[in-house]
Amino acid sequence: MSSATGYFVPGTSWLHRRNPFTKLLGLALVLLAAFLLPPVVLPVLAVAAVVAAWTAGLLRPLVRAMRIPAVLLFSILVINAVFFPGATEKLVSLGPLSISREGLTFGLISAGRVLVAFLASVTFLFTTLADDLLESLIARGASYRISFVVLNAVQLIPRMQARAGAILEAQQARALAVEGSFGRRLRALVPLIGPVILGSLIDVRERTFALEARGFAARPSRTAYRVVADPPIDRWLRWLIVAGSVAVVVVTLTGIVR
């Protein structure tokens, strides 16, 4: 992973070949369905995201990425199961604490929604090059500023990870102990945080100067050096995705499915 490509994993799968705007709309549809439709759709959405990643050859990277939200999902489940307000039906008592049915149900639903959002978002990042996403948004009339904000958001974590890795290697070369016990690793974070934050601020300033020098806010129309493929099938897919999103909103507002 590099700061330029972000989390993008090169490939030629059917998902890699889709237009970035199509995949962005698909991601929006999955998020709408996960948070608006009844919880019964969550297993279907999770399986669909995993199958999509598997058919794109990204199952192993997706499984490795699961270590990122694992603690969050576990904490959502445990905290809601034990401390859910107004719970009346207790399943298991653990001294002064107890696991309630209402809290466990709410925790499973909340964790399921976060899991679906994570799976869909990571699959999107794995198959979408940030530069192509930027050009695709601008080609459809999106604001340059908004598109650049999206690009920066996609590349933010990879840039910080690359910078932290370089600083850590430099500190190791200067005999800073960064391996060993948990306490030693924790102490090694202290001299790492300052340079990472300072480097991020310097990077923002340099990017600002570079954008101004290249006439980022200029009004005349521009030409793009990158041409993002947009096959006819993508146009049909976008119409289907938009129709699906409208259907999700209508079903939610009318309460047809509960």
Side-chain angles (χ1 to χ4, degrees):
M1 179 182 65
S2 69
S3 58
T5 59
Y7 294 100
F8 177 70
V9 179
T12 58
S13 70
W14 67 274
L15 201 52
H16 285 85
R17 294 194 301 269
R18 299 284 66 79
N19 185 272
F21 189 64
T22 304
K23 289 182 281 189
L24 185 62
L25 290 178
L27 174 61
L29 173 59
V30 172
L31 296 180
L32 278 175
F35 286 91
L36 295 183
L37 292 182
V40 69
V41 305
L42 294 177
V44 177
L45 294 175
V47 171
V50 172
V51 170
W54 173 61
T55 56
L58 298 170
L59 185 59
R60 184 173 296 179
L62 185 65
V63 172
R64 287 200 301 265
M66 280 301 301
R67 62 189 178 186
I68 298 175
V71 176
L72 174 62
L73 296 174
F74 180 75
S75 63
I76 290 174
L77 184 60
V78 171
I79 292 176
N80 281 284
V82 176
F83 300 105
F84 189 77
T88 57
E89 188 174 353
K90 298 180 180 180
L91 298 177
V92 179
S93 295
L94 304 171
L97 303 177
S98 61
I99 298 177
S100 64
R101 182 183 297 275
E102 297 92 339
L104 185 60
T105 301
F106 184 80
L108 286 172
I109 294 173
S110 300
R113 284 172 172 158
V114 173
L115 176 62
V116 169
F118 178 82
L119 292 173
S121 300
V122 169
T123 302
F124 171 77
L125 293 176
F126 281 164
T127 59
T128 307
L129 190 62
D131 292 345
D132 289 344
L133 176 61
L134 175 69
E135 293 297 341
S136 182
L137 291 175
I138 292 177
R140 282 160 179 79
S143 168
Y144 290 96
R145 292 178 174 83
I146 295 177
S147 302
F148 186 73
V149 168
V150 173
L151 177 66
N152 269 306
V154 172
Q155 294 181 336
L156 176 62
I157 301 301
R159 284 204 308 269
M160 294 190 68
Q161 287 180 336
R163 184 177 294 108
I167 294 172
L168 195 61
E169 291 176 357
Q171 291 176 340
Q172 283 181 294
R174 292 169 174 80
L176 176 68
V178 296
E179 298 180 353
S181 63
F182 176 75
R184 177 175 292 182
R185 292 173 180 268
L186 192 61
R187 288 193 297 271
L189 288 177
V190 177
L192 180 65
I193 294 174
V196 169
I197 295 176
L198 183 60
S200 299
L201 295 176
I202 294 175
D203 181 61
V204 170
R205 185 185 64 177
E206 291 178 348
R207 282 173 172 264
T208 301
F209 291 158
L211 290 174
E212 290 179 355
R214 288 164 174 79
F216 181 74
R219 293 295 181 182
S221 58
R222 314 172 187 209
T223 57
Y225 76 97
R226 299 178 65 90
V227 178
V228 182
D230 189 18
I233 188 174
D234 276 75
R235 299 164 195 167
W236 288 103
L237 284 175
R238 286 196 289 271
W239 281 110
L240 290 175
I241 292 171
V242 170
S245 301
V246 172
V248 169
V249 174
V250 170
V251 166
T252 303
L253 294 178
T254 57
I256 297 176
V257 179
R258 296 183 182 274

